[in-house]
Amino acid sequence: MTTGSLSRAARRRWWWTLWTLLAVSALGIAGFAVPPYLTGNPADSNVPIDADVAWHYLSLGIHAVPAGLALVLGPFQFVSRLRVRRPRLHRVAGRIYMICILIAAAAAVFAAAATLGGLAVQVAFYLLVAAWLYTAAKAYRHIRRGEVQLHRIWMIRNYALTFAAVTLRSYLLIGVVLKKTLFPSIDFDELYTACVWASILGNVLVTEYLIVQKTLAPLARRRPGGRPATGNGEPAIGARPALDAP
Ligand code: HEM
Protein backbone atom coordinates (compact mmCIF):
# COMPACT_ATOMS: atom_id res chain seq x y z
CA MET A 1 0.00 0.00 0.00
CA THR A 2 1.39 3.43 -0.89
CA THR A 3 1.03 6.56 1.22
CA GLY A 4 -1.23 7.91 -1.59
CA SER A 5 -3.92 5.37 -0.76
CA LEU A 6 -3.73 5.88 3.02
CA SER A 7 -6.35 7.75 4.98
CA ARG A 8 -5.43 11.15 6.44
CA ALA A 9 -5.15 9.71 9.96
CA ALA A 10 -2.99 6.81 8.79
CA ARG A 11 -0.76 9.23 6.88
CA ARG A 12 -0.33 11.34 9.99
CA ARG A 13 0.60 8.26 12.00
CA TRP A 14 3.07 7.24 9.25
CA TRP A 15 4.75 10.66 9.24
CA TRP A 16 4.99 10.79 13.03
CA THR A 17 6.54 7.32 13.14
CA LEU A 18 9.15 8.37 10.56
CA TRP A 19 9.74 11.68 12.31
CA THR A 20 10.18 9.97 15.70
CA LEU A 21 12.68 7.55 14.18
CA LEU A 22 14.56 10.48 12.65
CA ALA A 23 14.57 12.56 15.85
CA VAL A 24 15.47 9.67 18.19
CA SER A 25 18.31 8.46 15.98
CA ALA A 26 19.63 12.02 15.61
CA LEU A 27 19.52 12.52 19.39
CA GLY A 28 21.07 9.10 20.00
CA ILE A 29 24.01 9.64 17.63
CA ALA A 30 24.65 13.19 18.89
CA GLY A 31 24.57 11.92 22.49
CA PHE A 32 26.91 9.05 21.69
CA ALA A 33 29.37 10.65 19.24
CA VAL A 34 29.93 14.17 20.62
CA PRO A 35 30.90 13.65 24.35
CA PRO A 36 34.37 12.13 23.62
CA TYR A 37 35.34 15.53 22.18
CA LEU A 38 34.26 17.47 25.28
CA THR A 39 36.76 15.85 27.65
CA GLY A 40 39.85 17.52 26.19
CA ASN A 41 41.59 14.15 26.11
CA PRO A 42 42.62 12.98 22.61
CA ALA A 43 42.70 9.39 23.92
CA ASP A 44 38.88 9.53 24.12
CA SER A 45 38.53 10.13 20.36
CA ASN A 46 36.59 7.50 18.39
CA VAL A 47 38.78 8.06 15.32
CA PRO A 48 42.57 7.68 15.41
CA ILE A 49 44.33 10.98 16.15
CA ASP A 50 47.47 11.97 14.23
CA ALA A 51 49.98 12.65 17.03
CA ASP A 52 52.00 14.90 14.67
CA VAL A 53 49.06 17.26 14.10
CA ALA A 54 48.60 19.36 17.25
CA TRP A 55 45.15 20.69 16.27
CA HIS A 56 43.65 17.37 15.06
CA TYR A 57 41.62 16.58 18.20
CA LEU A 58 40.67 20.26 18.64
CA SER A 59 39.33 20.41 15.06
CA LEU A 60 37.16 17.36 15.77
CA GLY A 61 35.75 19.05 18.88
CA ILE A 62 35.03 22.36 17.12
CA HIS A 63 33.35 20.32 14.38
CA ALA A 64 31.42 17.80 16.48
CA VAL A 65 29.70 20.16 18.97
CA PRO A 66 27.90 22.47 16.48
CA ALA A 67 27.33 19.56 14.06
CA GLY A 68 25.66 17.61 16.88
CA LEU A 69 23.47 20.62 17.72
CA ALA A 70 22.42 20.99 14.06
CA LEU A 71 21.63 17.27 13.91
CA VAL A 72 19.33 17.53 16.95
CA LEU A 73 17.67 20.82 15.90
CA GLY A 74 16.91 19.66 12.33
CA PRO A 75 13.89 17.40 12.87
CA PHE A 76 12.01 20.08 14.85
CA GLN A 77 12.37 22.54 11.96
CA PHE A 78 10.30 20.20 9.76
CA VAL A 79 7.27 20.11 12.09
CA SER A 80 4.58 22.22 10.40
CA ARG A 81 2.57 22.73 13.59
CA LEU A 82 5.59 24.16 15.38
CA ARG A 83 6.43 26.40 12.44
CA VAL A 84 2.91 27.75 12.16
CA ARG A 85 2.33 28.28 15.90
CA ARG A 86 5.83 29.50 16.80
CA PRO A 87 7.25 31.18 13.66
CA ARG A 88 9.77 33.18 15.69
CA LEU A 89 11.12 30.02 17.32
CA HIS A 90 11.47 28.47 13.84
CA ARG A 91 13.45 31.50 12.64
CA VAL A 92 15.75 31.59 15.69
CA ALA A 93 16.36 27.82 15.57
CA GLY A 94 16.96 28.09 11.81
CA ARG A 95 19.61 30.77 12.33
CA ILE A 96 21.30 28.70 15.05
CA TYR A 97 21.22 25.68 12.70
CA MET A 98 22.87 27.70 9.90
CA ILE A 99 25.59 29.11 12.20
CA CYS A 100 26.28 25.59 13.51
CA ILE A 101 26.73 24.35 9.96
CA LEU A 102 29.12 27.17 9.06
CA ILE A 103 31.33 26.46 12.09
CA ALA A 104 31.11 22.65 11.76
CA ALA A 105 31.88 22.77 8.03
CA ALA A 106 34.92 25.03 8.52
CA ALA A 107 36.29 22.72 11.23
CA ALA A 108 35.50 19.65 9.08
CA VAL A 109 37.93 20.98 6.43
CA PHE A 110 40.73 20.74 9.03
CA ALA A 111 39.49 17.41 10.41
CA ALA A 112 39.40 15.98 6.87
CA ALA A 113 42.90 17.27 6.14
CA ALA A 114 44.21 15.40 9.19
CA THR A 115 42.17 12.21 8.87
CA LEU A 116 44.09 8.95 8.82
CA GLY A 117 41.28 7.44 6.72
CA GLY A 118 43.04 8.03 3.38
CA LEU A 119 42.42 9.98 0.17
CA ALA A 120 39.02 8.47 -0.73
CA VAL A 121 37.68 9.45 2.71
CA GLN A 122 39.13 12.95 2.38
CA VAL A 123 37.52 13.46 -1.04
CA ALA A 124 34.15 12.26 0.30
CA PHE A 125 34.31 14.67 3.26
CA TYR A 126 35.39 17.64 1.11
CA LEU A 127 32.47 17.01 -1.26
CA LEU A 128 30.18 16.72 1.75
CA VAL A 129 31.43 20.05 3.12
CA ALA A 130 30.83 21.72 -0.27
CA ALA A 131 27.33 20.24 -0.63
CA TRP A 132 26.48 21.07 3.00
CA LEU A 133 27.40 24.75 2.55
CA TYR A 134 25.84 25.02 -0.92
CA THR A 135 22.47 23.57 0.14
CA ALA A 136 22.43 25.78 3.26
CA ALA A 137 23.20 28.89 1.16
CA LYS A 138 20.44 28.01 -1.34
CA ALA A 139 17.91 27.43 1.46
CA TYR A 140 18.82 30.73 3.10
CA ARG A 141 18.63 32.67 -0.16
CA HIS A 142 15.19 31.27 -1.00
CA ILE A 143 13.70 32.12 2.37
CA ARG A 144 15.10 35.65 2.21
CA ARG A 145 13.18 35.99 -1.08
CA GLY A 146 10.02 34.55 0.48
CA GLU A 147 10.19 31.38 -1.65
CA VAL A 148 8.99 29.01 1.04
CA GLN A 149 8.63 25.81 -1.00
CA LEU A 150 12.10 26.16 -2.51
CA HIS A 151 13.50 26.92 0.96
CA ARG A 152 11.88 23.73 2.24
CA ILE A 153 13.27 21.58 -0.58
CA TRP A 154 16.82 22.88 -0.04
CA MET A 155 16.54 22.42 3.73
CA ILE A 156 15.43 18.82 3.19
CA ARG A 157 18.51 18.32 1.01
CA ASN A 158 20.71 20.00 3.60
CA TYR A 159 19.39 17.95 6.51
CA ALA A 160 19.81 14.75 4.48
CA LEU A 161 23.53 15.60 4.39
CA THR A 162 23.57 16.40 8.12
CA PHE A 163 21.87 13.05 8.68
CA ALA A 164 24.80 11.28 6.96
CA ALA A 165 26.34 11.42 10.45
CA VAL A 166 23.62 8.98 11.58
CA THR A 167 23.70 6.66 8.56
CA LEU A 168 27.53 6.57 8.60
CA ARG A 169 27.61 5.35 12.21
CA SER A 170 24.75 2.89 11.58
CA TYR A 171 26.55 1.38 8.56
CA LEU A 172 29.79 1.23 10.55
CA LEU A 173 28.03 -0.62 13.36
CA ILE A 174 26.53 -3.13 10.91
CA GLY A 175 29.91 -3.45 9.14
CA VAL A 176 31.79 -4.10 12.37
CA VAL A 177 29.26 -6.76 13.42
CA LEU A 178 29.55 -8.43 9.99
CA LYS A 179 33.36 -8.29 10.21
CA LYS A 180 33.32 -9.89 13.66
CA THR A 181 30.86 -12.61 12.68
CA LEU A 182 30.72 -13.53 8.98
CA PHE A 183 33.52 -11.67 7.17
CA PRO A 184 36.65 -11.41 9.39
CA SER A 185 38.88 -10.74 6.36
CA ILE A 186 37.30 -7.33 5.67
CA ASP A 187 39.88 -4.58 6.13
CA PHE A 188 38.63 -1.91 8.58
CA ASP A 189 39.98 1.03 6.56
CA GLU A 190 38.16 -0.23 3.46
CA LEU A 191 35.01 -0.73 5.49
CA TYR A 192 35.26 2.85 6.83
CA THR A 193 35.75 4.29 3.32
CA ALA A 194 32.80 2.29 1.96
CA CYS A 195 30.57 3.42 4.85
CA VAL A 196 31.51 7.10 4.39
CA TRP A 197 30.63 7.01 0.68
CA ALA A 198 27.50 4.88 1.16
CA SER A 199 26.17 7.19 3.89
CA ILE A 200 26.45 10.25 1.65
CA LEU A 201 25.24 8.70 -1.62
CA GLY A 202 22.45 6.70 0.05
CA ASN A 203 21.04 9.77 1.80
CA VAL A 204 21.23 11.89 -1.35
CA LEU A 205 19.49 9.26 -3.51
CA VAL A 206 16.66 8.58 -1.03
CA THR A 207 16.10 12.32 -0.53
CA GLU A 208 16.03 13.14 -4.24
CA TYR A 209 13.58 10.27 -4.77
CA LEU A 210 11.29 11.64 -2.03
CA ILE A 211 11.52 15.21 -3.33
CA VAL A 212 10.60 14.11 -6.86
CA GLN A 213 7.79 11.78 -5.75
CA LYS A 214 6.20 14.03 -3.14
CA THR A 215 6.83 17.51 -4.46
CA LEU A 216 7.89 17.68 -8.09
CA ALA A 217 5.82 14.84 -9.60
CA PRO A 218 2.48 16.32 -8.47
CA LEU A 219 3.57 19.68 -9.91
CA ALA A 220 4.58 18.07 -13.20
CA ARG A 221 1.16 16.39 -13.39
CA ARG A 222 -0.58 19.70 -12.76
CA ARG A 223 -3.40 20.28 -15.20
CA PRO A 224 -3.42 23.69 -16.93
CA GLY A 225 -5.43 26.09 -14.77
CA GLY A 226 -6.21 23.36 -12.24
CA ARG A 227 -4.93 22.17 -8.91
CA PRO A 228 -2.01 19.78 -8.88
CA ALA A 229 -3.13 16.19 -9.33
CA THR A 230 -1.61 13.87 -6.73
CA GLY A 231 -3.60 10.78 -7.60
CA ASN A 232 -5.69 11.03 -4.44
CA GLY A 233 -7.37 14.32 -5.25
CA GLU A 234 -5.35 16.36 -2.75
CA PRO A 235 -3.23 19.38 -3.58
CA ALA A 236 0.46 18.50 -3.40
CA ILE A 237 1.76 21.96 -2.72
CA GLY A 238 -0.46 23.82 -0.37
CA ALA A 239 -1.31 24.52 3.23
CA ARG A 240 0.22 21.32 4.54
CA PRO A 241 3.48 20.87 2.66
CA ALA A 242 4.60 17.50 1.36
CA LEU A 243 7.51 15.80 3.13
CA ASP A 244 6.57 17.41 6.44
CA ALA A 245 5.70 16.00 9.79
CA PRO A 246 2.18 17.34 10.48
C1 HEM B 1 27.40 16.71 6.94
C2 HEM B 1 28.56 17.29 7.01
C3 HEM B 1 29.71 16.72 7.81
C4 HEM B 1 30.99 16.68 7.39
C5 HEM B 1 31.53 17.18 6.07
C6 HEM B 1 31.76 16.06 8.41
C7 HEM B 1 33.11 15.83 8.39
C8 HEM B 1 33.83 15.14 9.33
C9 HEM B 1 35.21 14.74 9.22
C10 HEM B 1 36.12 15.05 8.04
C11 HEM B 1 35.53 14.08 10.33
C12 HEM B 1 36.89 13.40 10.63
C13 HEM B 1 36.71 11.93 10.24
C14 HEM B 1 37.98 11.13 10.25
O1 HEM B 1 38.96 11.54 10.86
O2 HEM B 1 38.00 10.09 9.59
C15 HEM B 1 34.36 14.03 11.16
C16 HEM B 1 34.31 13.46 12.39
C17 HEM B 1 33.26 13.62 13.25
N1 HEM B 1 32.04 14.18 12.97
FE1 HEM B 1 31.49 14.97 11.25
N2 HEM B 1 30.91 15.74 9.45
C18 HEM B 1 29.65 16.14 9.13
C19 HEM B 1 28.51 16.03 9.90
C20 HEM B 1 28.52 15.68 11.22
C21 HEM B 1 27.38 15.72 12.08
C22 HEM B 1 25.97 16.16 11.70
C23 HEM B 1 27.78 15.28 13.30
C24 HEM B 1 26.88 15.18 14.48
C25 HEM B 1 26.98 14.31 15.42
C26 HEM B 1 29.18 14.98 13.21
C27 HEM B 1 29.99 14.53 14.25
C28 HEM B 1 31.29 14.12 14.11
C29 HEM B 1 32.06 13.51 15.16
C30 HEM B 1 31.60 13.27 16.60
C31 HEM B 1 33.30 13.19 14.62
C32 HEM B 1 34.51 12.53 15.30
C33 HEM B 1 34.60 11.10 14.84
C34 HEM B 1 33.74 10.21 15.67
O3 HEM B 1 33.91 10.20 16.89
O4 HEM B 1 32.86 9.56 15.08
N3 HEM B 1 29.60 15.24 11.94
N4 HEM B 1 33.34 14.69 10.53
Side-chain angles (χ1 to χ4, degrees):
M1 188 162 29
T2 65
T3 49
S5 61
L6 292 175
S7 72
R8 198 180 166 83
R11 224 172 32 231
R12 278 172 70 91
R13 273 200 304 278
W14 167 248
W15 277 119
W16 275 117
T17 307
L18 275 184
W19 185 87
T20 306
L21 264 175
L22 194 86
V24 168
S25 56
L27 206 68
I29 290 297
F32 157 81
V34 177
Y37 303 91
L38 301 174
T39 63
N41 182 1
D44 290 335
S45 172
N46 286 326
V47 289
I49 297 293
D50 187 341
D52 295 332
V53 181
W55 43 262
H56 189 182
Y57 177 75
L58 181 67
S59 72
L60 287 172
I62 296 173
H63 163 71
V65 173
L69 184 56
L71 186 64
V72 171
L73 275 179
F76 297 94
Q77 294 296 86
F78 291 109
V79 179
S80 298
R81 213 181 291 168
L82 211 63
R83 236 182 10 238
V84 171
R85 289 187 190 164
R86 308 285 304 275
R88 206 179 122 72
L89 184 67
H90 177 78
R91 275 199 298 275
V92 171
R95 286 196 183 116
I96 295 173
Y97 179 93
M98 290 288 181
I99 292 167
C100 283
I101 283 180
L102 283 179
I103 299 169
V109 172
F110 290 90
T115 183
L116 298 173
L119 182 65
V121 166
Q122 278 180 321
V123 171
F125 279 129
Y126 285 136
L127 287 176
L128 187 55
V129 167
W132 214 22
L133 291 174
Y134 181 76
T135 51
K138 288 289 278 186
Y140 184 72
R141 198 152 157 241
H142 284 303
I143 204 57
R144 296 301 295 172
R145 290 176 172 178
E147 296 161 345
V148 176
Q149 291 294 344
L150 287 168
H151 167 70
R152 185 171 294 120
I153 287 175
W154 282 100
M155 279 317 300
I156 290 168
R157 288 184 169 133
N158 181 271
Y159 190 70
L161 299 173
T162 307
F163 202 72
V166 175
T167 38
L168 168 60
R169 283 155 187 91
S170 312
Y171 296 162
L172 273 175
L173 184 70
I174 296 168
V176 167
V177 170
L178 286 177
K179 179 175 161 57
K180 281 199 173 146
T181 52
L182 297 175
F183 308 105
S185 61
I186 292 180
D187 176 69
F188 183 80
D189 288 347
E190 280 183 16
L191 177 70
Y192 185 64
T193 307
C195 289
V196 169
W197 276 100
S199 65
I200 300 169
L201 288 182
N203 284 18
V204 167
L205 289 176
V206 170
T207 306
E208 290 308 313
Y209 175 82
L210 286 174
I211 289 172
V212 169
Q213 287 302 309
K214 297 281 176 192
T215 304
L216 300 183
L219 267 184
R221 289 191 208 109
R222 196 178 204 150
R223 296 182 196 99
R227 280 147 66 93
T230 57
N232 62 2
E234 286 198 3
I237 306 286
R240 196 182 71 74
L243 286 170
D244 261 6

